[in-house]
C-alpha cells in the first residue's frame, strides 16, 4: 500500500499504510463498510551535532520525524458495475482520526530507528471519498481502492491547516 500526503507541512512525502475492513451487504449494489487503518508518512531526517571540547571530536546524532494517522472509519460502497467477475464502486464515509508525530533516533548499528517521543497527538473527525474495484480470481477477490482523505474537517484549532492525503490500496476480499 502506498499513500501520498500534503498535510502538516508541504514536505510530507510518500508513505505506506495497512488496514483491515469489513463489508456488510445491504443490497446487490450497496455495502456498509467499516475498518481501521494505520498510515505512516516518513518526513525528514535531521542531525544534532554536540561539540566535545575535551576530545575535539563532535558527537553527531541522527533523528527522523514521522507523521502517523490511525483512522477508524465507516461508510458506504455503491457498485455501479456489478458482475460475477468484476465490481466497480464508489465509496465514501466518515472517520475519526488519531494523529501523532514521532521522532526516532537513527543508529548506525542497525537499519531500525528507536522511537523517542509521540508528541503532539490530536484527534479529529474527517471524511473520505474514492473508488475501487473487486476482481474475482476464483480463490478470492482482488481489491484495488483509491481514496482521498480529509482528516481534520471537524475539531481543528484556529489557524490549523487542512490535513489531507490520497491513498492507494491493494488487498484481498475473503
Amino acid at each position: 500500500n502506498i499513500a501520498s500526503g500534503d498535510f502538516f507541512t508541504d514536505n510530507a512525502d510518500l508513505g505506506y499504510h495497512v488496514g483491515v475492513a469489513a463489508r456488510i451487504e445491504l443490497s446487490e449494489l450497496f455495502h456498509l463498510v467499516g475498518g481501521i487503518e494505520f498510515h505512516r508518512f516518513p518526513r525528514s531526517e535531521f542531525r544534532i551535532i554536540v561539540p566535545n571540547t575535551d576530545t575535539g571530536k563532535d558527537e553527531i546524532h541522527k533523528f527522523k520525524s514521522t507523521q502517523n494517522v490511525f483512522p477508524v472509519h465507516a461508510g458506504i460502497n455503491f457498485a455501479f458495475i456489478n458482475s460475477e467477475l468484476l465490481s466497480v464502486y464508489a465509496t465514501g464515509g466518515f472517520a475519526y482520526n488519531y494523529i501523532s508525530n514521532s521522532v526516532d533516533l537513527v543508529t548506525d548499528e542497525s537499519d531500525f530507528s528507536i522511537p523517542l517521543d509521540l508528541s503532539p497527538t490530536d484527534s479529529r473527525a474527517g471524511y473520505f471519498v474514492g473508488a475501487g474495484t473487486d476482481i474475482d480470481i476464483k480463490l478470492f477477490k482482488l481489491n484495488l481502492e483509491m481514496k482521498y482523505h480529509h482528516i481534520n474537517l471537524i475539531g481543528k484549532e484556529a489557524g490549523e491547516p487542512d490535513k489531507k492525503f490520497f491513498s492507494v490500496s491493494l488487498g484481498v476480499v475473503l
Side-chain angles (χ1 to χ4, degrees), residues 24-143:
I24 299 171
E25 187 174 329
L26 300 176
S27 72
E28 216 175 281
L29 299 178
F30 289 98
H31 287 89
L32 187 62
V33 294
I36 187 167
E37 299 170 2
F38 169 69
H39 297 263
R40 187 168 177 89
F41 296 94
R43 287 189 52 211
S44 60
E45 249 185 50
F46 57 95
R47 297 172 188 214
I48 296 177
I49 299 172
V50 180
N52 188 331
T53 54
D54 295 335
T55 64
K57 199 172 192 181
D58 295 341
E59 293 179 34
I60 300 173
H61 303 279
K62 292 187 232 172
F63 298 90
K64 180 172 60 172
S65 71
T66 304
Q67 298 167 340
N68 306 293
V69 180
F70 301 88
V72 177
H73 61 86
I76 196 157
N77 288 359
F78 169 66
F80 50 88
I81 297 174
N82 196 14
S83 70
E84 212 173 284
L85 176 65
L86 178 72
S87 174
V88 179
Y89 60 89
T91 188
F94 296 97
Y96 181 79
N97 303 285
Y98 176 77
I99 305 162
S100 71
N101 291 323
S102 63
V103 177
D104 302 332
L105 174 65
V106 179
T107 63
D108 292 330
E109 291 81 34
S110 74
D111 292 335
F112 298 102
S113 55
I114 302 164
L116 298 178
D117 192 15
L118 282 176
S119 167
T121 59
D122 296 306
S123 296
R124 304 284 190 262
Y127 69 91
F128 65 91
V129 293
T133 185
D134 294 332
I135 303 169
D136 192 346
I137 56 175
K138 300 302 174 203
L139 295 173
F140 55 85
K141 289 183 181 178
L142 192 61
N143 174 261

Side-chain angles (χ1 to χ4, degrees), residues 140-160:
F140 55 85
K141 289 183 181 178
L142 192 61
N143 174 261
L144 176 65
E145 189 172 82
M146 296 171 277
K147 289 195 288 193
Y148 172 82
H149 305 259
H150 185 169
I151 62 172
N152 69 335
L153 181 65
I154 300 170
K156 67 181 174 182
E157 296 175 6
E160 180 180 337

